Amino acid sequence: EADHGTAVVMETSTGEIKAISNLGRTKNGKYYEKLNYAVGESHEPGSTFKLMALIRALEDKKIDTSQIIDTKNGILDFYGRKVRDAKKGGYGKISVAKAFEVSSNTALVQVINESYKDNPEKFVDGLFKMNLNQKLGLPIIGEGTPKFTHPEDKMNWDGLDLPWMAFGYGISLTPLQILTFYNAIANNGLMIKPRFIKEVRQYNQTIEKFEREVISESICSDETISVVKNMMKNVVEKKHGTAHNIYSEDISLAGKTGTCQKNYVAKDPDKMAYISTFAGYFPADNPKYSCIVVIHEPDKSVGYYGADVSGPVFKSMAQKIHAISPMVDEVESDMIEDVKLDENYQQYFAEAQKKFSTVPNVKGMSGMDA
């Protein structure tokens, strides 16, 4: 009963978009493809952005994953505005690694704010260095524009921007832009442009081929990649991980949940809605595919957390893809090329391309011959 949603599956090594679905709800409760939300809808990413923020802090040597953070009973105050944890009372004193796994807002906000409050430019510039502020340059019209506020913009930057950015608020990204970053982690740092068209063919001739386009050879160090990959795996595999409910013995999954408030500016509880997200990849140890599921305004009475709404969709798709993916063995072919047969086929193909203005007499022929 959500308003709309999107799901995308990308091949890790090539950037090929293997599947994409966008569904919006009509007034009578039916769903159809209204808009390409994956490409065009830029929105606040919420907790899925904690991956980007944490990578930046690790790269700048501001933190270590074993560092202990006090979650302050689950509430922080910034200029009268509250940052709250999903768990009432907070998580006590936990490591940065566990803070990521349980998606503690208070812990991650403290980490980023304390590390960069005296030099917020370093944090934002570091995010830009990872290409997060750039469009992907897709061949599809209407790509949403990433939105970030920079400390140099004195008119728009204030004391809330840094802590709010740490857990994915005050910024905007499209689902496909988020997925491209997550795919880079699965791809050991290599960021690849999403590819919708592999090649254009006519008969058996390739007219145009579209090669893999690299956006960045390495978004961060191998050491950081290794650290965050382990944390993303623990999000699903650890009992305290926010997505432990989608753990499967059949296929290893890795990723990050995101539950972002929507329409919160109105301060009306009835108008408050959520964006539920899960972004990740599978198999966790040798990623073949990355995937993102984003669902806007799910029925709050049923559930709205990313783990409850988008996570199960991610799991079901991963299991299906894993189940139908064939095991491939290459064997040398003993077939001998038949030149005469190929010539005959070429003649047939040339004949078949001709245009005829009259219908031939096919009386008495079988259906196949006709």
Side-chain angles (χ1 to χ4, degrees):
E1 297 177 9
D3 182 73
H4 65 274
T6 183
V8 188
V9 178
M10 179 189 288
E11 191 170 62
T12 304
S13 61
T14 65
E16 278 188 42
I17 301 299
K18 308 301 287 187
I20 184 168
S21 179
N22 298 278
L23 292 174
R25 184 182 172 120
T26 63
K27 290 180 180 178
N28 61 3
K30 303 290 184 182
Y31 290 89
Y32 77 110
E33 293 199 71
K34 293 169 70 173
L35 291 169
N36 195 332
Y37 302 111
V39 170
E41 186 172 42
S42 188
H43 58 82
E44 289 177 308
S47 291
T48 53
F49 195 77
K50 288 173 183 173
L51 175 68
M52 294 76 156
L54 200 58
I55 286 175
R56 194 62 259 156
L58 288 168
E59 284 292 280
D60 292 337
K61 309 296 183 188
K62 295 286 188 181
I63 59 166
D64 183 270
T65 52
S66 61
Q67 181 180 331
I68 301 299
I69 309 292
D70 186 353
T71 59
K72 311 281 187 183
N73 294 320
I75 301 177
L76 291 179
D77 189 289
F78 288 92
Y79 306 99
R81 296 280 297 276
K82 299 285 194 297
V83 175
R84 301 176 188 272
D85 278 330
K87 183 182 178 183
K88 195 170 183 179
Y91 300 91
K93 294 181 180 180
I94 56 175
S95 67
V96 169
K98 185 171 180 180
F100 181 83
E101 291 157 16
V102 300
S103 200
S104 169
N105 294 331
T106 58
L108 268 297
V109 165
Q110 284 183 84
V111 162
I112 299 303
N113 193 60
E114 291 301 317
S115 298
Y116 295 99
K117 63 183 179 182
D118 296 328
N119 187 10
E121 291 90 347
K122 185 175 179 64
F123 178 66
V124 181
D125 289 341
L127 295 175
F128 291 0
K129 191 178 176 183
M130 297 190 294
N131 298 97
L132 287 167
N133 63 323
Q134 299 294 321
K135 282 187 174 184
L136 299 169
L138 302 173
I140 294 177
I141 292 172
E143 181 185 358
T145 303
K147 175 195 167 188
F148 286 87
T149 305
H150 195 279
E152 290 180 356
D153 182 3
K154 304 299 182 185
M155 293 289 290
N156 293 305
W157 182 271
D158 60 35
L160 288 174
D161 281 295
L162 181 62
W164 256 239
M165 195 180 292
F167 68 129
Y169 284 91
I171 59 176
S172 290
L173 292 168
T174 68
L176 203 49
Q177 288 160 358
I178 296 168
L179 178 60
T180 300
F181 188 90
Y182 273 71
N183 189 74
I185 300 302
N187 212 20
N188 295 319
L190 181 67
M191 183 181 279
I192 302 170
K193 180 178 174 179
R195 184 170 65 173
F196 287 87
I197 306 170
K198 189 174 183 179
E199 61 181 9
V200 179
R201 284 186 177 183
Q202 183 176 357
Y203 177 43
N204 62 349
Q205 299 295 315
T206 299
I207 305 301
E208 187 175 2
K209 202 164 189 175
F210 296 86
E211 302 293 344
R212 183 179 78 172
E213 288 187 50
V214 175
I215 297 173
S216 174
E217 291 289 345
S218 180
I219 59 170
C220 61
S221 65
D222 292 342
E223 181 185 0
T224 297
I225 290 287
S226 178
V227 168
V228 296
K229 268 189 167 184
N230 188 55
M231 289 193 299
M232 290 170 73
K233 194 175 177 183
N234 287 342
V235 166
V236 178
E237 295 189 357
K238 287 283 184 74
K239 283 187 177 180
H240 59 244
T242 53
H244 69 273
N245 60 307
I246 68 168
Y247 171 75
S248 171
E249 291 183 354
D250 302 324
I251 179 171
S252 57
L253 310 173
K256 180 74 186 74
T257 55
T259 308
C260 179
Q261 290 184 350
K262 188 177 180 182
N263 305 331
Y264 54 84
V265 178
K267 296 182 180 178
D268 183 344
D270 293 331
K271 292 182 180 179
M272 178 79 77
Y274 294 88
I275 305 171
S276 302
T277 306
F278 191 92
Y281 50 82
F282 56 90
D285 296 323
N286 184 24
K288 296 282 190 255
Y289 301 101
S290 59
C291 175
I292 188 167
V293 179
V294 183
I295 298 176
H296 283 249
E297 302 179 34
D299 185 340
K300 290 182 284 187
S301 66
V302 178
Y304 55 85
Y305 285 110
D308 300 325
V309 179
S310 298
V313 180
F314 179 96
K315 179 183 179 180
S316 65
M317 290 197 299
Q319 286 181 320
K320 182 175 182 180
I321 292 168
H322 179 67
I324 64 174
S325 296
M327 299 296 290
V328 179
D329 280 322
E330 288 190 11
V331 293
E332 287 189 19
S333 174
D334 292 329
M335 289 180 64
I336 300 170
E337 187 179 353
D338 191 326
V339 178
K340 184 67 178 173
L341 183 65
D342 187 59
E343 286 178 359
N344 287 342
Y345 189 77
Q346 294 293 348
Q347 289 173 9
Y348 154 76
F349 183 75
E351 196 70 24
Q353 301 310 302
K354 290 181 181 178
K355 290 184 178 179
F356 295 91
S357 57
T358 57
V359 179
N361 184 359
V362 294
K363 285 183 179 178
M365 291 186 183
S366 68
M368 180 65 76
D369 289 343

